Amino acid sequence: MPKTNSTATRHIAILGGTFDPVHWGHLKPVLALADQFDWQRIHLLPTCAPPHRAQPQVLDTHRLGMLDAAATLDSRFHVDDWELRQGLPSRTLPTLKHFHQECPDACLYFVIGMDSLLNLPEWLHWERLFDYANFVVMPRPGYQLEQCRPELTELLQQRQVSADEFRGGVGKIYLAECEPVDSSATELREQLVNLTECPAMLPEPVWDYIRTHNLYAMSNNNDAALNN
Ligand code: ATP
């Protein structure tokens, strides 16, 4: 990642995920947020799965290939293989420290879905994450704040802000009001076994990549075993 010498604050978003495959549920809300908060760059950061957990169904090169295809949709997207290059199970704290070190003058926005927010207290050193970035939460059908645990209620009492207060600084949480998108990679992987046309959840360039490389077809379901 190039270091900046510019004096103007850059606003950089980071969206981590398995992206197996990347879909509109990731991309539509983040593009709406980029417009709303004038983000100059959106890092799409595929995660490295711990060996004892379920591995992505396709090779890392294909997860990156699908992200490259998605990145043709908007010049603000930047596919970033930093977590994959670490060769360790991904943890958000080292990732945020890395961004903070590489872009000390930038304002960082870590983007997660509502399902991830509900799970946040299980992330390693979760309370320290707010030292490095603001957090923005994309709404996700099926996941409501009412389901949240007491630690999260307390966290939101301390850190939640309105859209007007969100831009700049660090440690704030904004619950986005953008249109929820009902897509999930799990559902897509099931559907893609039989599909012959681009499903509504997938951007066309990602579908083209999947077709070209014959991903997620029934005969390829053992790809994950080759992933390491
Ligand atoms: P899977 O179904 O395999 O668990 P996923 O669709 O949740 O995958 P991930 O790559 O694991 O996709 O998600 C990356 C990030 O994007 C997470 O923070 C997740 O909460 C968020 N996200 C994924 N899909 C949506 C969606 N439809 N709406 C809002 N956020 C989403």
Side-chain angles (χ1 to χ4, degrees), residues 4 19 67 97 170 173 193:
T4 178
F19 300 125
L67 285 168
K97 282 183 176 173
V170 76
I173 302 176
V193 173

Side-chain angles (χ1 to χ4, degrees), residues 1-2 17 30 51 58 67 75-76 86 103 115 122 124 136 154 156-157 177 180-181 195 206 215 222:
M1 195 182 345
V30 88
V58 302
L67 285 168
S75 62
R76 288 169 293 188
Q86 302 317 297
C103 321
D115 54 313
E122 286 174 17
L124 196 67
V136 55
E154 202 179 315
L156 289 168
Q157 276 164 1
E177 284 154 20
V181 180
L195 282 182
V206 178
L215 305 180
N222 290 329

Side-chain angles (χ1 to χ4, degrees), residues 12-19 22-31 33 39 41-47 67 77-80 83 95-96 99 109-113 116 136 138:
I12 297 175
I14 305 158
L15 174 63
T18 313
F19 300 125
V22 59
H23 53 71
W24 281 125
H26 304 120
L27 303 174
K28 274 191 183 154
V30 88
L31 283 173
L33 287 158
W39 293 337
R41 202 167 237 238
I42 305 161
H43 285 255
L44 300 172
L45 207 70
T47 51
L67 285 168
F77 285 135
H78 174 79
V79 180
D80 189 331
E83 287 192 346
T95 299
L96 292 182
F99 274 89
Y109 301 83
F110 195 73
V111 183
I112 56 175
S116 299
V136 55
M138 308 184 279

Side-chain angles (χ1 to χ4, degrees), residues 11 37-38 40 107 109 134 163-169 172:
H11 296 266
F37 294 110
D38 200 15
Q40 285 92 32
C107 186
Y109 301 83
N134 288 323
D164 291 344
E165 300 161 311
F166 187 55
R167 202 162 179 275
K172 297 181 255 183

Side-chain angles (χ1 to χ4, degrees), residues 112-133:
I112 56 175
M114 180 56 86
D115 54 313
S116 299
L117 177 75
L118 296 176
N119 214 17
L120 193 70
E122 286 174 17
W123 295 17
L124 196 67
H125 306 307
W126 66 284
E127 282 157 312
R128 288 169 53 197
L129 303 174
F130 301 94
D131 293 344
Y132 298 95

